């Protein structure tokens, strides 16, 4: 029988967040694939886990992934752990999951610590809907493209950032998204954990005077839907009703359908649009 792939969440700072199930599975599997074996050996030693380890990271994820799939097809049970948190979230674990499914290997995920969810629940911002962007790309054009996509994002936005790049990223966010509410989470689950509830402008002013320590999770307020509706309405109001009607009729709508769409865009009733069209004639 083929082996099984286990995605094991590990603590993001506080070792007490390790689950009993994760400790058991890491003891029971045949092999642990770790993002950084030098870092993970400390965790395994703490919990007295003697299972053999192999490295599985961003730079060997395809070659080592194929090797691990072959081992699982031979019957080896493999657990994947990342440096901290849940494998597959902003790390190469997602690639191994795809490869395992393609090979018909069973996959299961052991829930546990996750910086994304921890920061979101701490943020004081809306938790119902959110968009996770991980680290912004290093490439300038790719970074700008993603930020442009986020301008009209109404969901709460979550991203990671290294301390030495925090100010630069905050400047980019202010220039692109405007002055939004933001919660900057640092040292999550650790002794000096901080959830800094502020605005982007005030965060910039603060960190220009204070050193940033620890990896950061930025939780940013999404754009208000009311603002988008008003902005869209202003765009339509810049047109005459006749021009507005032509916009829809040129797309194949008949006059009745176009009138209904124009009325919705302008926040009016259909009879109002009809009266305005008569006035423009």
């Amino acid at each position: 029988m083929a082996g099984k792939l286990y995605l094991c969440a590990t603590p993001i700072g506080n070792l007490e967040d390790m689950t009993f199930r994760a400790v058991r599975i890491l003891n029971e599997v045949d092999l642990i694939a770790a993002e950084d074996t030098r870092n993970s050996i400390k965790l395994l030693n703490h919990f007295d886990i003697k299972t053999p380890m192999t490295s599985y990271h961003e730079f060997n994820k395809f070659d080592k992934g194929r090797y691990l799939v072959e081992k699982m097809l031979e019957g080896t049970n493999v657990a994947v752990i990342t440096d901290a948190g849940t494998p597959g979230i902003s790390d190469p674990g997602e690639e191994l999951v795809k490869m395992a499914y393609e090979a018909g290997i069973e996959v299961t995920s052991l829930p546990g610590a996750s910086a994304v969810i921890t920061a979101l629940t701490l943020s004081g911002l809306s938790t119902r809907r959110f968009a996770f962007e991980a680290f912004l790309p290093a490439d300038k054009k790719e970074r700008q493209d993603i930020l442009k996509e986020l301008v009209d994002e109404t969901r709460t936005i979550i991203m990671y950032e290294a301390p030495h790049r925090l100010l630069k990223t905050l400047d980019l966010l202010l220039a692109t998204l405007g002055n939004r509410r933001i919660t900057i989470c640092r040292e999550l689950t650790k002794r000096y954990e901080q959830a800094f509830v502020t605005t982007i402008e005030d965060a910039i002013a603060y960190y220009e005077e204070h050193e940033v320590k620890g990896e950061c999770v930025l939780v940013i307020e999404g754009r208000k839907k009311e603002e988008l509706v008003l902005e869209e309405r202003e765009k339509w109001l810049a047109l005459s009703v006749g021009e507005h009607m032509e916009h829809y009729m040129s797309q194949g709508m008949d006059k009745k359908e176009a009138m209904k769409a124009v009325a919705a865009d302008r926040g009016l009733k259909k009879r109002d649009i009809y009266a305005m069209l008569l006035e423009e004639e």
Side-chain angles (χ1 to χ4, degrees):
M1 288 179 63
K4 190 171 178 178
L5 178 63
Y6 296 85
L7 306 175
C8 292
T10 56
I12 56 176
N14 192 321
L15 291 177
E16 292 178 1
D17 292 332
M18 188 75 166
T19 69
F20 292 112
R21 185 182 174 204
V23 172
R24 176 176 64 81
I25 293 297
L26 290 175
N27 269 305
E28 291 178 356
V29 295
D30 304 299
L31 183 65
I32 296 171
E35 188 175 13
D36 186 337
T37 55
R38 295 167 301 179
N39 182 60
S40 294
I41 192 63
K42 300 171 189 174
L43 178 77
L44 300 190
N45 286 342
H46 181 84
F47 290 102
D48 197 28
I49 296 167
K50 307 297 185 183
T51 306
M53 243 192 324
T54 188
S55 65
Y56 175 73
H57 49 71
E58 183 65 30
F59 302 105
N60 73 354
K61 62 184 179 183
F62 296 112
D63 290 339
K64 182 55 75 73
R66 285 188 286 270
Y67 167 79
L68 292 171
V69 166
E70 286 174 8
K71 296 292 288 183
M72 285 184 280
L73 288 173
E74 293 169 0
T76 302
N77 289 313
V78 176
V80 178
I81 58 176
T82 182
D83 281 350
T86 301
I89 303 296
S90 190
D91 78 15
E94 65 174 318
E95 195 62 44
L96 185 57
V97 172
K98 292 176 190 174
M99 295 170 77
Y101 278 131
E102 287 169 1
I105 294 166
E106 187 179 353
V107 180
T108 191
S109 181
L110 281 62
S114 171
V116 181
I117 301 303
T118 304
L120 178 64
T121 55
L122 270 177
S123 69
L125 298 172
S126 174
T127 61
R128 182 175 174 272
R129 299 169 67 243
F130 63 94
F132 176 54
E133 283 296 335
F135 287 94
L136 289 173
D139 181 80
K140 184 177 180 180
K141 185 179 185 306
E142 288 181 30
R143 188 168 62 242
Q144 288 296 340
D145 287 343
I146 285 177
L147 288 171
K148 284 176 186 175
E149 288 177 10
L150 295 176
V151 168
D152 292 332
E153 178 59 71
T154 58
R155 295 172 293 178
T156 301
I157 302 163
I158 307 172
M159 59 181 64
Y160 293 156
E161 193 49 277
H164 65 280
R165 289 196 302 262
L166 179 62
L167 258 178
K168 182 179 179 180
T169 296
L170 289 172
D171 285 333
L172 283 171
L173 292 173
L174 181 62
T176 311
L177 308 182
N179 190 28
R180 308 260 187 105
R181 289 194 296 162
I182 186 172
T183 300
I184 301 173
C185 298
R186 299 185 308 103
E187 300 288 277
L188 286 171
T189 76
K190 299 177 185 177
R191 182 178 179 183
Y192 296 108
E193 175 182 277
Q194 180 192 45
F196 183 21
V197 181
T198 183
T199 64
I200 296 176
E201 277 187 355
D202 288 347
I204 291 170
Y206 178 83
Y207 286 116
E208 282 177 341
E209 301 294 330
H210 298 82
E211 183 183 0
V212 187
K213 294 181 179 179
E215 296 295 316
C216 303
V217 184
L218 314 184
V219 188
I220 308 153
E221 180 181 40
R223 187 152 186 209
K224 292 180 173 60
K225 287 185 178 178
E226 298 82 4
E227 291 178 1
L228 288 174
V229 170
L230 287 173
E231 191 176 279
E232 185 73 5
R233 188 159 292 168
E234 286 174 5
K235 182 185 81 173
W236 293 121
L237 290 175
L239 302 176
S240 69
V241 176
E243 290 170 333
H244 199 162
M245 286 283 295
E246 179 57 32
H247 168 77
Y248 285 116
M249 291 177 73
S250 67
Q251 296 176 10
M253 285 189 184
D254 61 29
K255 191 171 183 179
K256 187 177 179 181
E257 290 174 323
M259 203 174 291
K260 185 177 179 181
V262 170
D265 288 342
R266 292 174 177 254
L268 300 171
K269 294 183 178 178
K270 200 160 69 170
R271 65 171 177 265
D272 297 325
I273 301 302
Y274 181 72
M276 293 168 76
L277 282 170
L278 290 176
E279 287 177 10
E280 288 184 7
E281 288 180 356

